[in-house]
Amino acid sequence: MKKIIVPIFSLLFSLQSCKEKIKEAGSTVAKNKEISDLSIYNLPSEWTTQDGKSIELKSLNGNVLVMVMIYTSCKAACPRLVADMRNIEAKLDKKTKKNVKLILVSIDPVTDTPKKLKLFAIANKMDKDPWLFLRSTEDNTREFAAILAVNYKQISPMEFSHSNIISVFNPLGELIYQQEGLGVNNDQTVNKINEEAGKI
Amino acid sequence: MQKKILIIFLFLVLIGFVRAQESKMVPIQEGSFVPLYGATSKKPVLVKSFFIDVFPVTNTEYLNFVKKHPEFSKSKIKGLFADKSYLDYWKNDLDFGNVNSKAPITTVSWFAAKKYCECQGKRLLTIDEWEYVAMADEKKRDARTKKEFNNYILSWYEKSRTYENPIGQTFKNYWGIYDMHGLVWEWTSDFNSIFLSGESRKDKSADQNLFCGASSVNATDLMDYAAFMRYAFRGSLKAQYSTRNLGFRCASTTKL
């Protein structure tokens, strides 16, 4: 019985996602003229925070977003990526920091439940502003990675290989800068963020 | 008069048949294989049974989709979802121009291809699924070691403008699928799981700095140059890109 229900459910879900996204995209244009063609706020996907709160990316509108994709059980690159994010945070302009959100998006939503993300956030002292952890469905995650041009692949039940890219979005949700690699010089990234945050 | 009705009737049946044929799906049985890239330590990957379109999506079919979903038309698609070359050869939003209506749709972005399949209640194939189906020739499920098969694919790579040909003119493979080779390249759902860089300035397959775990990504058989080309191509794509030799077809986990 379960075997039948799952495919039917996933079929319904996929059909629904066709309609839903299109309706969503239409209403965005109608209500929010200021959202540009290149804005990630055109993505209607729903995300869950480390506090189990459900949000749409659109609700982040108006902030400078600094985003990176990680998974909490990662032992190799992710701790270094998290450190890179921390180093960026330390260099942010104190006056405009309130306009910046530093966001870690899980590429392993199956393992990274909100609870797991919360524990990770607490353990890394990243459980309050400007830090935010997000997870969504595997499909939404793949789509989001496609927007960021982040490549990833599950190589074993607990391991992923993935690109190490930190992306900066302006308050309109447009991708304005990407820092590639680990432990690279972040001066230009920080400058971009401060510059954008100062405009708000 | 009766003859006229009969002719009209036959004509309608024929249209129905052609339409049904275009969107027809066939089952693919579960099996495992060792893909060229992506498997750790040359272990076979399991491909679960699924259903696949017999043909790639055509210009006509895509036009029907655009009519229903104008936000995916040439002039209305958002820059986030497609670059400037989206539907480049189309005359306008509802006219694909002088190309063959049964030729495969190309110059579509990954977002558009994905959405098309979702709106049919389907999805894109994964790379593993695609490669699994594509390793079959007319007779064998896995013809990758056959020299003629590889030669066929490689000689296609040398031909130009095959994207102008109608669907269904290449060989019918073991599963009853056409055009996996010889017509267009195809989008896959997880095209962005490839770790080869398309840009020369960082064109190293095991750039430890850029990719975590890149050393696990090894080619299993470097002689399979045809597949190498496909992986390299996928690795160079971004989801907004659209190119003239890149189309797609849809799949489904369940029978529709």
Side-chain angles (χ1 to χ4, degrees):
Chain A
M1 188 59 191
K2 204 179 163 194
K3 266 187 184 157
I4 305 170
I5 290 172
V6 172
I8 289 175
F9 184 76
S10 60
L11 178 67
L12 281 176
F13 182 77
S14 63
L15 281 171
Q16 191 191 356
S17 78
C18 165
K19 279 183 202 148
E20 191 188 345
K21 281 194 185 174
I22 277 150
K23 193 189 85 202
E24 193 69 42
S27 67
T28 309
V29 175
K31 272 188 252 154
N32 260 326
K33 280 239 163 69
E34 71 271 20
I35 289 180
S36 82
D37 262 22
L38 290 169
S39 172
I40 49 161
Y41 302 131
N42 289 304
L43 285 176
S45 52
E46 287 224 340
W47 297 78
T48 312
T49 69
Q50 75 270 31
D51 295 313
K53 213 177 108 191
S54 176
I55 66 161
E56 276 185 65
L57 289 180
K58 252 191 296 185
S59 65
L60 302 168
N61 196 345
N63 295 290
V64 176
L65 310 183
V66 185
M67 293 179 132
V68 67
M69 296 187 84
I70 53 129
Y71 64 107
T72 61
S73 36
C74 171
K75 298 281 179 287
C78 303
R80 289 172 64 194
L81 270 180
V82 170
D84 282 344
M85 288 289 274
R86 228 189 257 289
N87 290 338
I88 289 171
E89 192 227 352
K91 289 189 191 172
L92 293 181
D93 192 329
K94 297 272 179 305
K95 277 175 262 164
T96 53
K97 201 176 154 183
K98 61 180 191 309
N99 302 329
V100 183
K101 294 252 181 271
L102 292 128
I103 303 171
L104 297 98
V105 180
S106 172
I107 55 170
D108 185 10
V110 177
T111 314
D112 288 338
T113 56
K115 203 176 152 194
K116 194 113 194 256
L117 290 177
K118 181 79 175 174
L119 289 173
F120 185 88
I122 292 169
N124 288 281
K125 298 195 171 66
M126 297 165 110
D127 195 33
K128 49 179 195 272
D129 256 3
W131 300 103
L132 180 64
F133 288 77
L134 295 178
R135 74 178 279 278
S136 189
T137 60
E138 287 184 74
D139 200 39
N140 285 340
T141 306
R142 181 64 65 190
E143 184 174 68
F144 186 71
I147 295 278
L148 297 185
V150 165
N151 286 15
Y152 67 96
K153 184 179 176 69
Q154 187 155 19
I155 50 177
S156 77
M158 289 303 279
E159 268 182 294
F160 287 77
S161 48
H162 59 97
S163 332
N164 299 315
I165 300 179
I166 293 175
S167 306
V168 181
F169 294 86
N170 71 15
L172 299 173
E174 296 160 347
L175 182 64
I176 52 163
Y177 189 75
Q178 291 194 306
Q179 169 183 315
E180 291 187 30
L182 282 174
V184 297
N185 183 311
N186 61 17
D187 288 349
Q188 214 177 338
T189 314
V190 172
N191 285 344
K192 282 274 173 192
I193 299 167
N194 285 336
E195 193 184 305
E196 281 298 325
K199 287 184 202 162
I200 300 172
Chain B
M1 186 59 191
Q2 261 192 336
K3 204 178 167 189
K4 224 178 192 176
I5 291 170
L6 186 68
I7 289 170
I8 292 170
F9 176 71
L10 282 177
F11 182 68
L12 288 175
V13 167
L14 188 70
I15 290 176
F17 177 68
V18 169
R19 280 190 64 92
Q21 196 183 32
E22 277 175 16
S23 54
K24 207 180 143 194
M25 298 187 95
V26 295
I28 304 291
Q29 283 160 30
E30 182 176 296
S32 49
F33 77 113
V34 179
L36 180 71
Y37 270 100
T40 35
S41 63
K42 297 186 183 183
K43 275 191 198 135
V45 299
L46 176 71
V47 174
K48 293 209 167 136
S49 61
F50 67 105
F51 294 82
I52 180 174
D53 285 354
V54 173
F55 303 104
V57 174
T58 64
N59 283 307
T60 305
E61 288 171 324
Y62 201 77
L63 177 61
N64 290 335
F65 163 72
V66 170
K67 279 179 187 162
K68 279 187 211 139
H69 303 290
E71 66 277 18
F72 282 90
S73 64
K74 190 178 158 88
S75 69
K76 296 211 182 74
I77 193 154
K78 291 182 194 300
L80 187 69
F81 300 130
D83 65 13
K84 294 253 178 338
S85 58
Y86 179 73
L87 298 182
D88 212 16
Y89 62 95
W90 284 40
K91 284 219 174 94
N92 58 49
D93 281 355
L94 297 175
D95 181 3
F96 49 73
N98 297 325
V99 298
N100 191 316
S101 61
K102 294 195 78 180
I105 180 74
T106 64
T107 64
V108 283
S109 67
W110 177 81
F111 294 102
K114 179 172 180 280
K115 183 58 63 181
Y116 177 96
C117 292
E118 277 171 16
C119 290
Q120 319 292 317
K122 301 180 188 175
R123 59 174 174 82
L124 288 171
L125 283 78
T126 64
I127 295 178
D128 287 343
E129 285 170 343
W130 199 96
E131 291 291 326
Y132 179 69
V133 175
M135 70 188 186
D137 69 354
E138 289 103 321
K139 302 241 167 64
K140 287 180 74 177
R141 271 167 84 138
D142 186 355
R144 288 178 297 175
T145 51
K146 273 167 89 175
K147 207 174 165 220
E148 315 87 84
F149 182 59
N150 281 313
N151 283 346
Y152 174 86
I153 302 172
L154 288 173
S155 73
W156 163 48
Y157 289 175
E158 288 166 7
K159 284 189 197 116
S160 61
R161 300 157 78 95
T162 53
Y163 49 77
E164 288 175 350
N165 300 338
I167 55 164
Q169 291 192 342
T170 65
F171 68 93
K172 178 180 183 175
N173 81 4
Y174 172 88
W175 303 104
I177 310 295
Y178 288 85
D179 305 325
M180 296 302 278
H181 308 286
L183 190 66
V184 284
W185 300 42
E186 296 179 13
W187 278 113
T188 50
S189 59
D190 55 349
F191 78 96
N192 58 348
S193 62
I194 301 293
F195 290 90
L196 290 167
S197 166
E199 289 174 74
S200 55
R201 68 185 157 90
K202 42 178 201 238
D203 208 356
K204 316 172 241 188
S205 58
D207 188 331
Q208 296 291 354
N209 226 20
L210 195 56
F211 302 125
C212 155
S215 53
S216 66
V217 186
N218 285 315
T220 51
D221 180 6
L222 283 170
M223 292 306 285
D224 195 352
Y225 183 68
F228 178 79
M229 291 282 283
R230 287 195 296 276
Y231 281 94
F233 182 59
R234 287 175 192 135
S236 71
L237 289 171
K238 286 188 178 172
Q240 290 86 354
Y241 285 9
S242 46
T243 75
R244 192 63 175 100
N245 60 355
L246 180 61
F248 68 99
R249 74 177 77 211
C250 309
S252 170
T253 308
T254 51
K255 200 173 170 78
L256 294 177

